[in-house]
Structure formats: C-alpha cells, structure tokens
Amino acid sequence: MTERIEARDQALRAAGDLFYARGIHAVGMDDVRAASGVSLKTLYKHYPSKDALVVEFLRARDERWLRELRDHVEQRPASERLVAVFDWLHEWFSEPTYRGCAFLNSFGELGATSPAVAQLARRHKQAFRDYLGRLAEGAGQPTHAAEAAFLLAEGAMAASAVLGRPDLAETARETLSTLTYAAEPAPEVT
C-alpha cells in the first residue's frame, strides 16, 4: 500500500514540476513516466488520463500554495497581514523556477476546453480573494482594500512572470499601502 502511495505521489510531483516548467500541452504521459521513474502502467493505474493528472496537479497546488501563504502571513500581527502577502509573493517571484501562477497558466492553456481546469482556476482565485478579504477585515480595512490587494497581487503575478521582475511584488505592496492610507478617514480635529 505504501509503495502505491509513493508511486502516486512521485508521479504527481514529477507531473507538477513538468506542467509548471514547460506547460501542460508540452508534457506527455511518457515525460511524466520518465521524470518520475514510475512505470507507464502504474502511472495510468493512478491517473487514467492526462486530464485526471492535470486536475490532481491543480488540486495539490491549490492546497500547498494557500497553506504556504497562510503560514507566512499569519506569523505577522493582524494589522500587517494584508501587506505581508506581497512579501511572500516577492519570495515566490524570486525563486529561479518561478513561471507565474499555475492557475492562470493552466486556464490560459485549457480553460476554454476543460471545464474542470476552468472550475479549479476560478475556485483557487476566489479562495485567494476570500482570504485577502478576511485579512482586510481582521486589520479593520474596508472591503475595497481586499479588492485592491487581489488585483495588485494578480497583476504582479502575471507581470513578474513575463518580465522576470520579482520587485513588482514590492511595487504592488507599496501601491496597496498608499491606497489604503489614502482611503483612511482623516482624524477629527477638535
């Protein structure tokens, strides 16, 4: 049983690395077999199609990505958590393997032809937006601060991948700070 789970996890890790690095269309099941060391028969036993493998890759990516974000952000005081998202994004963008958001990439490749991929991408983005909303609320920020953070983060993810500029996360962070500061009501003068 453990051997089967290891083979399944090994194949999923290899597929995830390949899909993220090269794109889903560019990766075949034989590529996954070669990278994982799992036989093609075992690979198809666990993932009866490439579509099934893509769906599992996205599900696992969603869970890991959101967990890592929360682990980083929630070490900060509530008042700093929304901007801490951008510190985490900067670290992610600085990784040598960074190729943008796997959900945007997958949606771009398959969203029009795979309802499952489109649904997973939408669900991931909504979960991220909802998380930012909870962070804004916890910091006493208005709802529009979460919307601004979401749009700035999404834009930074895409632009950083295309331009190879991790610093765009810092620019987005500064922009969010400026927007939220400008939106704060002026102190009453007595």
Side-chain angles (χ1 to χ4, degrees):
M1 183 69 157
T2 303
E3 201 170 292
R4 266 193 274 164
I5 293 170
E6 285 179 23
R8 179 180 168 82
D9 292 348
Q10 212 170 305
L12 185 58
R13 272 193 308 278
D17 290 347
L18 291 169
F19 291 154
Y20 187 69
R22 296 175 25 199
I24 294 168
H25 284 305
V27 176
M29 292 297 267
D30 199 49
D31 296 317
V32 175
R33 178 206 53 79
S36 68
V38 172
S39 73
L40 209 50
K41 180 180 177 183
T42 301
L43 181 59
Y44 277 109
K45 182 178 173 184
H46 293 293
Y47 304 101
S49 68
K50 182 177 169 182
D51 289 342
L53 186 55
V54 169
V55 165
E56 282 303 310
F57 153 66
L58 290 173
R59 284 185 181 144
R61 182 83 179 199
D62 173 63
E63 184 180 305
R64 190 184 85 229
W65 192 89
L66 290 169
R67 182 184 63 246
E68 289 176 2
L69 174 62
R70 279 190 303 267
D71 288 349
H72 175 86
V73 168
E74 292 176 13
Q75 295 176 25
R76 301 278 186 82
S79 62
E80 297 175 15
R81 290 179 179 172
L82 194 57
V83 293
V85 168
F86 295 91
D87 298 335
W88 183 80
L89 290 175
H90 183 265
E91 289 177 21
W92 180 37
F93 297 172
S94 298
E95 293 175 4
T97 57
Y98 181 71
R99 282 200 67 255
C101 173
F103 294 89
L104 288 177
N105 297 346
S106 299
F107 187 84
E109 278 194 77
L110 301 172
T113 59
S114 172
V117 167
Q119 179 185 27
L120 286 166
R122 287 184 185 107
R123 190 177 325 153
H124 173 78
K125 294 302 178 186
Q126 188 61 50
F128 179 47
R129 165 52 193 91
D130 292 347
Y131 180 64
L132 295 175
R134 289 190 298 277
L135 295 178
E137 185 179 323
Q141 294 289 331
T143 305
H144 72 273
E147 292 297 329
F150 178 70
L151 293 173
L152 287 165
E154 291 297 325
M157 282 182 226
S160 181
V162 171
L163 299 174
R165 291 192 45 206
D167 66 299
L168 292 175
E170 293 171 346
T171 302
R173 181 187 199 275
E174 292 166 13
T175 302
L176 179 65
S177 294
T178 300
L179 290 173
T180 53
Y181 177 76
E184 288 180 7
E188 288 186 28
V189 179
T190 56

